[in-house]
Amino acid sequence: MKKILITGAAGFLGSHLCDRFISEGFHVIGMDNLITGDLDNIRHLFPMENFEFYHHDVTKFVLVSGKLDYILHFASPASPIDYLKIPIKTLKVGSLGTLNLLGLAKEKRARILVASTSEVYGDPLVHPQTEEYNGNVSPVGPRGVYDEAKRFMESITMAYHRHHGLDTRIVRIFNTYGPRMRLNDGRVVPAFMGQAIRGEDLTVFGDGSQTRSFCYIDDQVEGIYRLLFSDYPDPINIGNPNETTIKEFAEEIIALTGTDQKIIYKPLPKDDPSKRQPDISKAREILGWEPKVSRSEGLKIVYDYFKSLSPEELQKKEHRDFSAR
Ligand code: NAD
Ligand code: UDP
């Protein structure tokens, strides 16, 4: 049985990756320090023989005994609100955490795939974003703690690949959404859904003309799965190219939820990218991958998921006190 270590396993993406690799017959070691994740996302895997969980901070030395075939490094706060509250931890997990996992991969001769992001393109001057575009990021702006950590992650991963011949993969993930996101993690999908469920007005930042392109979780997981088993070491975009303005997106959520909320406008956060859309030609060509789930289908699934939670579960999804961790 092939063994895979998934860091960030109790988070949104990590927990769905754990499900996928368990269903494909892997032995999965999930690792997480629970800073933004939740054990409830993987509790259903605990009774399974081929699942283990290590409560561990990957910025500290990572020890895994025995053989290891693959590593997926997904540990990192991912929402702007989260990483602005814990900026130094965000820089550390992208840098020191990645270094530890590359070292582990080298020791075990394991293949490692690291989770990078469309944020490496910053506020892009090329649209849609191709992998060749080097980005427009402010190293000293507030989002620099995330963006530059991920850019460092890519650099050190390529250095291990070139210098040590390590078998590496880099996925540049574009805005992905789905069940298990925290209602108050600050990202726009749970933010708008939570507001709709609570009967509050939807908060659009700026004038809402900024664009994003939203990918449903199952499509994202399929792209990552295919990339891991490809032989392509350079960064690759995985995302849904269907672009929308945030104002139109808010209107779509209001229509979907059938509520009569209004849109209210709040200041645009500093360095909020004005546009974002992946060019997925490489993913199509090299991985034979493209997204299958439309935004309306995906949003309906997520809305039904949030609606199905009990008031206690909803409240838990909203709670996050970083000072306690
Ligand atoms: P998430 O916050 O739900 O999950 C991240 C997980 O990492 C959490 O469970 C958290 O507790 C864990 N973690 C953080 N620091 C850690 C540390 N030092 N040691 C161990 N565990 C740690 O976020 P997500 O949306 O699931 O994102 C997962 C990964 O995908 C991140 O690396 C993120 O940068 C990347 N990504 C996500 C998106 C997206 O749209 N969801 C987009 C681009 C990139
Ligand atoms: N956004 C918004 N209202 C909210 C939360 C987010 O208008 O309540 C906007 C945000 O300014 C950004 C877009 O939605 O332009 C996507 O934000 P998110 O935090 O989901 O992701 P990112 O900015 O990292 O792409």
Side-chain angles (χ1 to χ4, degrees), residues 113-151:
L113 180 152
V114 298
S116 185
T117 167
S118 52
E119 285 279 324
V120 298
Y121 302 121
D123 191 4
L125 305 175
V126 165
H127 196 70
Q129 291 79 59
T130 59
E131 288 85 350
E132 285 71 32
Y133 177 51
N134 287 328
N136 176 33
V137 173
S138 165
V140 293
R143 291 172 91 109
V145 299
Y146 181 69
D147 303 3
E148 295 294 4
K150 292 292 186 178
R151 289 169 69 96

Side-chain angles (χ1 to χ4, degrees), residues 164-203:
H164 290 307
L166 195 69
D167 197 8
T168 57
R169 306 287 180 270
I170 300 174
V171 58
R172 288 188 181 150
I173 300 168
F174 282 66
N175 297 65
T176 298
Y177 68 97
R180 300 186 188 153
M181 292 182 98
R182 269 183 14 248
L183 261 190
N184 73 338
D185 87 356
R187 287 181 277 191
V188 70
V189 173
F192 286 174
M193 293 271 176
Q195 287 162 345
I197 288 171
R198 292 187 299 269
E200 298 165 6
D201 292 335
L202 272 61
T203 52

Side-chain angles (χ1 to χ4, degrees), residues 19-35:
D19 286 346
R20 174 67 186 262
F21 280 87
I22 288 282
S23 76
E24 298 283 349
F26 285 72
H27 184 101
V28 174
I29 301 175
M31 186 174 284
D32 206 296
N33 68 350
L34 305 180
I35 192 159

Side-chain angles (χ1 to χ4, degrees), residues 149-161:
K150 292 292 186 178
R151 289 169 69 96
F152 174 82
M153 166 191 259
E154 291 198 7
S155 298
I156 194 169
T157 300
M158 286 314 287
Y160 266 73
H161 174 67

Side-chain angles (χ1 to χ4, degrees), residues 17-237:
L17 286 164
C18 287
D19 286 346
R20 174 67 186 262
F21 280 87
I22 288 282
S23 76
E24 298 283 349
F26 285 72
H27 184 101
V28 174
I29 301 175
M31 186 174 284
D32 206 296
N33 68 350
L34 305 180
I35 192 159
T36 61
D38 190 336
L39 276 186
D40 283 350
N41 290 335
I42 47 172
R43 207 174 290 285
H44 59 286
L45 300 175
F46 288 179
M48 295 184 184
E49 250 177 37
N50 54 336
F51 183 75
E52 293 174 75
F53 179 70
Y54 293 9
H55 187 179
H56 182 69
D57 178 344
V58 299
T59 66
K60 309 279 177 351
F61 187 81
V62 180
L63 187 65
V64 173
S65 57
K67 74 151 194 165
L68 194 58
D69 301 290
Y70 302 102
I71 299 174
L72 297 182
H73 178 31
F74 278 68
S76 171
S79 108
I81 284 196
D82 283 351
Y83 61 70
L84 294 176
K85 277 191 202 153
I86 41 174
I88 315 284
K89 286 184 194 302
T90 302
L91 279 158
K92 280 187 173 176
V93 72
S95 54
L96 303 179
T98 303
L99 175 64
N100 286 337
L101 290 154
L102 288 166
L104 179 68
K106 181 164 160 272
E107 169 71 21
K108 301 284 183 184
R109 298 177 199 283
R111 179 177 298 174
I112 179 167
L113 180 152
V114 298
S116 185
T117 167
S118 52
E119 285 279 324
V120 298
Y121 302 121
D123 191 4
L125 305 175
V126 165
H127 196 70
Q129 291 79 59
T130 59
E131 288 85 350
E132 285 71 32
Y133 177 51
N134 287 328
N136 176 33
V137 173
S138 165
V140 293
R143 291 172 91 109
V145 299
Y146 181 69
D147 303 3
E148 295 294 4
K150 292 292 186 178
R151 289 169 69 96
F152 174 82
M153 166 191 259
E154 291 198 7
S155 298
I156 194 169
T157 300
M158 286 314 287
Y160 266 73
H161 174 67
R162 294 195 184 106
H163 189 70
H164 290 307
L166 195 69
D167 197 8
T168 57
R169 306 287 180 270
I170 300 174
V171 58
R172 288 188 181 150
I173 300 168
F174 282 66
N175 297 65
T176 298
Y177 68 97
R180 300 186 188 153
M181 292 182 98
R182 269 183 14 248
L183 261 190
N184 73 338
D185 87 356
R187 287 181 277 191
V188 70
V189 173
F192 286 174
M193 293 271 176
Q195 287 162 345
I197 288 171
R198 292 187 299 269
E200 298 165 6
D201 292 335
L202 272 61
T203 52
V204 165
F205 298 161
D207 63 4
S209 63
Q210 71 272 32
T211 70
R212 293 295 186 274
S213 308
F214 296 100
C215 183
Y216 186 64
I217 182 69
D218 292 359
D219 285 332
Q220 185 61 244
V221 166
E222 179 63 26
I224 292 165
Y225 191 84
R226 289 188 188 205
L227 175 60
L228 182 65
F229 298 111
S230 75
D231 57 5
Y232 192 73
D234 292 326
I236 199 153
N237 292 338

